[in-house]
Amino acid sequence: MMTPCNRLADASRAYPGTPRRVAFVGNSLPRRCGIATFTTDLQSAVAGLGAAPETIVIAMTDEGHAYDYPASVGMVVREQELQDYESAAWFLNAGRYDVVSLQHEFGIFGGRDGAHVLTMLARLTMPVVTTLHTVLADPNEGQFRVLREIVDASARVIVMAEKGRELLQTIWNVPPDRIQVIPHGIPDSAFEESADSKRDRGFGDRAVILTFGLISPNKGIEVMIDAMPEILRSRPDAVYIVLGATHPNLVRREGEAYRTRLKERTRQLGIEDHVLFLDQFVDQQTLVGFISMCDVYVTPYFNEAQMTSGTLAYSFGIGRAVVSTPYWHAVELLDQGRGILVPFGDSGATGREIAALLADDERRQRLGRQAYAYSRSMTWPSTAERYMREFGRVVERHDGQMHRRSASSGAGSKAVPRIRLTHFESMCDDTGLIQHAIGSVPDRRHGYCLDDNARALLLHCALETLGEEHLPESMAASFTAFIQHAWNPQTRRFRNFMGFDRRWCEDFGSEDSHGRALWALGDCARSGRRTARRDWAAALFAEAAPSVEGFSSPRAWAFTLLGLEAFGFVDAGGARTSELQHELAGRLVALLEAVETPDWVWFEDCLAYDNARLSQALIVTGVSTGQDRYVAAGVRSLRWLMKWQTSPSGVFRPVGSDSFGHSRRPPRAFDQQPLEATATIAACAAASRAEGDARWDDQAQRAFAWFLGGNDLAISLIDPEAGSCCDGLHPGRANQNRGAESVVSYLLALTQIRGLERAASRTRRVEMSPTAAARGRIESHQ
């Protein structure tokens, strides 16, 4: 008998980097859907291997429903509850799972276009292998954004047909080495002639045609019903069995109206005795019995763009002759005469082909045996073996990179500090974040400003996404309340400066502070933990955004674009969002083209503050809208800026504030401010994601090293225990004051770098550049 230790030892011989703990994320039986069946079957098959890892399922549960899940389900995620996704990440990280197998289908995850799952993926510390059950050839903008981020977060992407590989490479621009094709699994059952099974189920010598699966209008069952009179002319003993419950989503919308219409159709044709509706969701053993007794299995689906069909795979694998419409999966599986294809919606052709098969026992049986022989590599044990090999490869690569990173750290590189919020929290009161400090003591004389509280909300969202530390809920509420109070509906602008006495110093603030508030609101609308807060942020964003059209500040445009990129996940496909993105991005590109010369690749005649945000805004907007020219302009300007932000000794040197206002001159070295380093890190990270070039990650790391002493004075600017940061570098010394802008800049930079470190350790970045081929499909939806 094999003990658990022996099994694990055997596993390590079977697969390189063999995972000992595997988590599957998807729907699970007894929920009624194809993804639930697939996830359950795959988990069971992996758990049943001779060298089996410990497995668990994280089950997605649809709103308003509860299921009696089996013991294999370790946690339930309510699809619309964002905090459940965060909890799932914590559960998996704490459980030290080696790899996560994510089952992706549109519609099973909450949020716009399923964006909630990104919250979980961003927090996981192990590699993710994603199985895509659908790959769209013509996605809308929201679908493109979300699925691209999922692919970006995956060490490997699995599809079940070569058509999926083709689309991922040509439409989604995924590198070939990131894609693996593993066909849909099938039961490992012995070949059985239909006659034996028919007798067991009371169908005697009748000719049996079968369709099974959850019933919905896209399955084309009415086409097969219309084909029955043609079949009955030559085989009056024929019976068409429709096995399956009505799809739960359809039942919620209209009850059993669709099934009733189908039954009425059979009565109108006078064939009600030859069409049998079995309203059941059956287990695998019962299903195999029904398939085994049929003479012909038919999938008359209407939609060509079906990447996989579990019902087709099962029937084919049990050795039945198949007649199908030419959707993608059927075209591949039934190629080279392994089945029969008929045109979409053509009941005449369907009837003729099935009648011909029922009249030719030798041909029908030959097709079944050919299908059975071809499908032996698709059995669930074989499928589980292939998945385990992929899991092993990504785990081995992950472990190798972790080892190299550890060795590099031991060779003298500076470790990235832990996130500490002590100083930040000391700078806050129940009004918000205090602007300035004398040393590390808050200086109440200068009160508060919208700029700093918007940055604080951005920090809150970044911490929520990273999942390592969290701000107190009362503190986050103070930042949001400050932003709300700053909004002046009479002027349609945000106020900026407030005295410590809580009196506003102005009716409206700068354009830049307005843009920064929109940036924070957009980010909060996308990634805030609480639904009510996300809704508030989205509503205020929509109210305040139109004012930006009258602004002239390039930085206000850039900050707003960063907010629009985040807001787009909430308002995916919104015409106004898209129009404003293109308007503001077009203005930045026009500025660059008007000012740019071979020696001065910038948007203005001089360098000022938060420079890299201009480049970052164009890069992320180009990626989200599918506009190559925005990305190209952003990367081009950032590359030029990085040349100026590198000292002769090779350390990062942010544009000094002494440079401000000097037209077309090299930037001066001082004073250097944390804000510039933080902006540069974010811009380089955006360029890395857009271009798939790890050298941008190196640039981001070099900019972060500025905080730790990799600067012109070789002195650290942070207190890692308190999480505070000096206000900048003067010639010969650091500014020892530690105000709001500086501490938030440092903490935002730290969350960005810790996120990059986590992504690098999981080897989870997919090289994906925004090519015109991948984007043209998106532009058609704008």
Side-chain angles (χ1 to χ4, degrees):
M1 179 173 147
M2 183 173 283
T3 67
C5 291
N6 288 336
R7 290 202 318 174
L8 289 173
D10 191 48
S12 67
R13 290 192 295 272
Y15 316 104
T18 297
R20 295 169 183 262
R21 309 194 81 191
V22 178
F24 297 87
V25 178
N27 298 350
S28 174
L29 294 176
R31 182 174 176 179
R32 296 182 172 187
C33 72
I35 303 300
T37 302
F38 182 92
T39 305
T40 303
D41 286 347
L42 178 58
Q43 178 271 327
S44 299
V46 169
L49 292 174
E54 179 184 341
T55 63
I56 200 168
V57 174
I58 307 297
M60 306 302 305
T61 297
D62 45 345
E63 193 170 11
H65 289 78
Y67 302 96
D68 184 16
Y69 286 118
S72 57
V73 173
M75 182 179 178
V76 172
V77 173
R78 295 166 294 176
E79 64 179 37
Q80 296 300 334
E81 298 299 325
L82 188 63
Q83 61 267 29
D84 283 10
Y85 295 83
E86 298 174 348
S87 298
W90 180 90
F91 176 88
L92 293 170
N93 292 338
R96 296 185 178 275
Y97 285 87
D98 298 303
V99 64
V100 167
S101 174
L102 176 71
Q103 307 305 312
H104 179 270
E105 179 61 281
F106 293 97
I108 73 170
F109 301 114
R112 185 67 66 91
D113 296 303
H116 281 1
V117 74
L118 300 175
T119 297
M120 182 190 73
L121 295 177
R123 290 162 168 75
L124 293 177
T125 57
M126 70 290 294
V128 176
V129 175
T130 296
T131 301
L132 299 179
H133 291 257
T134 296
V135 182
L136 297 175
D138 193 18
N140 65 39
E141 185 173 340
Q143 291 167 336
F144 188 91
R145 287 180 177 184
V146 173
L147 188 57
R148 175 168 174 172
E149 288 210 28
I150 291 171
V151 172
D152 190 51
S154 304
R156 185 82 81 250
V157 178
I158 293 174
V159 290
M160 301 186 211
E162 287 296 334
K163 182 68 176 182
R165 188 204 301 270
E166 174 193 325
L167 291 175
L168 284 176
Q169 291 181 229
T170 58
I171 303 301
W172 299 84
N173 202 34
V174 181
D177 62 351
R178 292 279 182 170
I179 308 167
Q180 185 60 260
V181 177
I182 301 179
H184 195 295
I186 60 172
D188 189 9
S189 58
F191 182 82
E192 186 177 357
E193 295 289 355
S194 62
D196 297 333
S197 295
K198 285 182 194 178
R199 283 192 297 272
D200 293 341
R201 285 164 179 79
F203 285 88
D205 296 327
R206 297 191 71 176
V208 177
I209 307 155
L210 176 68
T211 291
F212 79 86
L214 291 173
I215 305 305
S216 60
N218 64 328
K219 298 296 179 68
I221 294 169
E222 50 266 67
V223 175
M224 182 58 214
I225 290 173
D226 290 346
M228 281 301 292
E230 172 72 25
I231 297 167
L232 291 170
R233 275 195 284 273
S234 59
R235 286 300 300 260
D237 62 333
V239 59
Y240 176 40
I241 299 175
V242 181
L243 172 63
T246 307
H247 198 290
N249 293 341
L250 186 61
V251 172
R252 282 195 284 271
R253 290 197 303 270
E254 61 174 46
E256 292 290 353
Y258 177 62
R259 183 181 294 269
T260 300
R261 291 195 298 272
L262 292 177
K263 290 181 177 179
E264 178 59 28
R265 195 167 192 146
T266 65
R267 285 191 289 271
Q268 291 172 356
L269 293 172
I271 59 172
E272 60 266 38
D273 292 337
H274 296 273
V275 180
L276 178 61
F277 292 91
L278 299 179
D279 187 0
Q280 304 172 33
F281 189 86
V282 298
D283 60 25
Q284 186 179 107
Q285 182 179 357
T286 304
L287 177 59
V288 169
F290 271 101
I291 298 172
S292 296
M293 79 167 186
C294 81
D295 296 292
V296 176
Y297 183 77
V298 58
T299 58
Y301 302 164
F302 286 130
N303 184 12
E304 178 191 34
Q306 181 153 342
M307 189 58 59
T308 185
S309 167
T311 66
L312 173 66
Y314 272 41
S315 301
F316 183 84
I318 291 173
R320 300 302 93 177
V322 176
V323 174
S324 176
T325 50
Y327 54 91
W328 291 336
H329 189 197
V331 169
E332 286 189 25
L333 196 59
L334 306 183
D335 191 25
Q336 298 182 9
R338 293 188 291 267
I340 295 173
L341 298 176
V342 294
F344 292 106
D346 192 334
S347 59
T350 302
R352 287 191 297 274
E353 291 292 352
I354 293 175
L357 278 177
L358 293 176
D360 189 341
D361 292 347
E362 182 181 349
R363 181 188 177 210
R364 187 179 69 254
Q365 291 166 6
R366 184 174 67 250
L367 281 175
R369 292 193 185 94
Q370 185 180 357
Y372 184 83
Y374 180 84
S375 64
R376 290 311 83 204
S377 63
M378 296 164 53
T379 63
W380 275 119
S382 297
T383 300
E385 292 272 0
R386 295 188 65 180
Y387 268 88
M388 279 296 291
R389 280 195 289 273
E390 295 307 314
F391 296 159
R393 289 185 181 113
V394 300
V395 169
E396 182 180 40
R397 185 177 178 188
H398 164 76
D399 291 347
Q401 187 170 43
M402 290 293 288
H403 176 76
R404 291 191 296 274
R405 185 172 298 279
S406 175
S408 174
S409 297
S413 61
K414 289 181 182 280
V416 175
R418 295 282 305 262
I419 296 172
R420 304 294 187 196
L421 301 172
T422 305
H423 179 66
F424 176 82
E425 291 180 3
S426 76
M427 293 289 294
C428 298
D429 61 16
D430 58 359
T431 300
L433 178 60
I434 296 171
Q435 278 195 81
H436 296 296
I438 299 173
S440 59
V441 178
D443 184 0
R444 295 174 175 173
R445 295 174 301 168
H446 300 285
Y448 318 86
C449 69
L450 174 65
D451 281 321
D452 290 337
N453 281 272
R455 293 186 185 105
L457 183 56
L458 285 169
L459 175 62
H460 166 70
C461 294
L463 292 171
E464 292 285 300
T465 299
L466 190 64
E468 294 183 9
E469 296 288 341
H470 298 281
L471 291 171
E473 179 57 31
S474 60
M475 196 169 288
S478 295
F479 306 145
T480 55
F482 191 99
I483 294 172
Q484 177 63 59
H485 190 41
W487 173 242
N488 186 339
Q490 281 73 44
T491 63
R492 313 299 296 173
R493 293 281 295 275
F494 287 100
R495 307 173 181 93
N496 192 10
F497 294 107
M498 172 189 279
F500 188 68
D501 60 0
R502 293 191 176 185
R503 294 183 181 180
W504 289 108
C505 303
E506 58 203 355
D507 289 330
F508 59 87
S510 66
E511 292 181 358
D512 290 4
S513 65
H514 190 108
R516 191 174 281 109
L518 287 171
W519 177 10
L521 289 168
D523 209 35
C524 183
R526 171 176 62 180
S527 56
R529 175 185 292 185
R530 295 179 178 271
T531 302
R533 184 172 293 148
R534 295 197 304 273
D535 292 344
W536 161 81
L540 186 54
F541 184 99
E543 187 177 2
S547 299
V548 180
E549 291 185 84
F551 289 0
S552 60
S553 166
R555 281 160 187 78
W557 303 340
F559 300 153
T560 303
L561 282 169
L562 293 172
L564 283 164
E565 188 270 337
F567 184 69
F569 281 88
V570 180
D571 187 40
R576 192 68 199 94
T577 299
S578 180
E579 289 171 6
L580 190 54
Q581 280 184 298
H582 288 294
E583 170 65 26
L584 299 180
R587 291 183 191 180
L588 283 177
V589 172
L591 273 184
L592 179 64
E593 292 174 347
V595 175
E596 180 180 10
T597 67
D599 298 326
W600 190 266
V601 187
W602 198 242
F603 305 86
E604 303 163 301
D605 285 326
C606 60
L607 292 164
Y609 84 103
D610 244 354
N611 295 293
R613 297 295 185 190
L614 303 179
S615 304
Q616 179 194 357
L618 279 179
I619 294 169
V620 301
T621 303
V623 170
S624 68
T625 62
Q627 290 290 328
D628 278 342
R629 66 191 188 100
Y630 299 161
V631 176
V635 169
R636 185 168 76 251
S637 58
L638 181 61
R639 188 172 287 117
W640 177 86
L641 179 64
M642 292 307 294
K643 290 171 61 177
W644 286 116
Q645 292 191 137
T646 303
S647 75
S649 64
V651 299
F652 177 73
R653 175 188 285 171
V655 172
S657 59
D658 290 347
S659 307
F660 297 177
H662 293 276
S663 180
R664 294 184 183 262
R665 294 182 183 177
R668 297 183 180 181
F670 296 99
D671 291 342
Q672 300 177 18
Q673 298 176 344
L675 190 73
E676 301 305 320
T678 303
T680 299
I681 292 165
C684 288
S688 174
R689 289 191 297 270
E691 292 202 312
D693 188 343
R695 287 175 295 185
W696 285 114
D697 290 343
D698 296 337
Q699 295 276 36
Q701 295 282 0
R702 188 168 62 84
F704 184 74
W706 178 86
F707 291 100
L708 309 182
N711 51 53
D712 284 308
L713 302 186
I715 57 176
S716 176
L717 299 174
I718 67 164
D719 177 348
E721 292 304 313
S724 66
C725 178
C726 295
D727 278 352
L729 276 181
H730 299 306
R733 67 178 180 88
N735 181 337
Q736 291 299 326
N737 294 331
R738 297 166 187 265
E741 180 182 294
S742 300
V743 64
V744 176
S745 293
Y746 163 62
L747 291 173
L748 282 171
L750 181 55
T751 58
Q752 183 86 56
I753 288 296
R754 289 189 72 83
L756 287 175
E757 291 273 294
R758 176 182 293 180
S761 72
R762 295 191 303 250
T763 65
R764 294 171 58 194
R765 185 182 65 248
V766 175
E767 295 180 359
M768 192 180 293
S769 60
T771 62
R775 301 305 190 202
R777 306 243 175 202
I778 302 304
E779 291 171 12
S780 65
H781 293 278
Q782 297 175 1

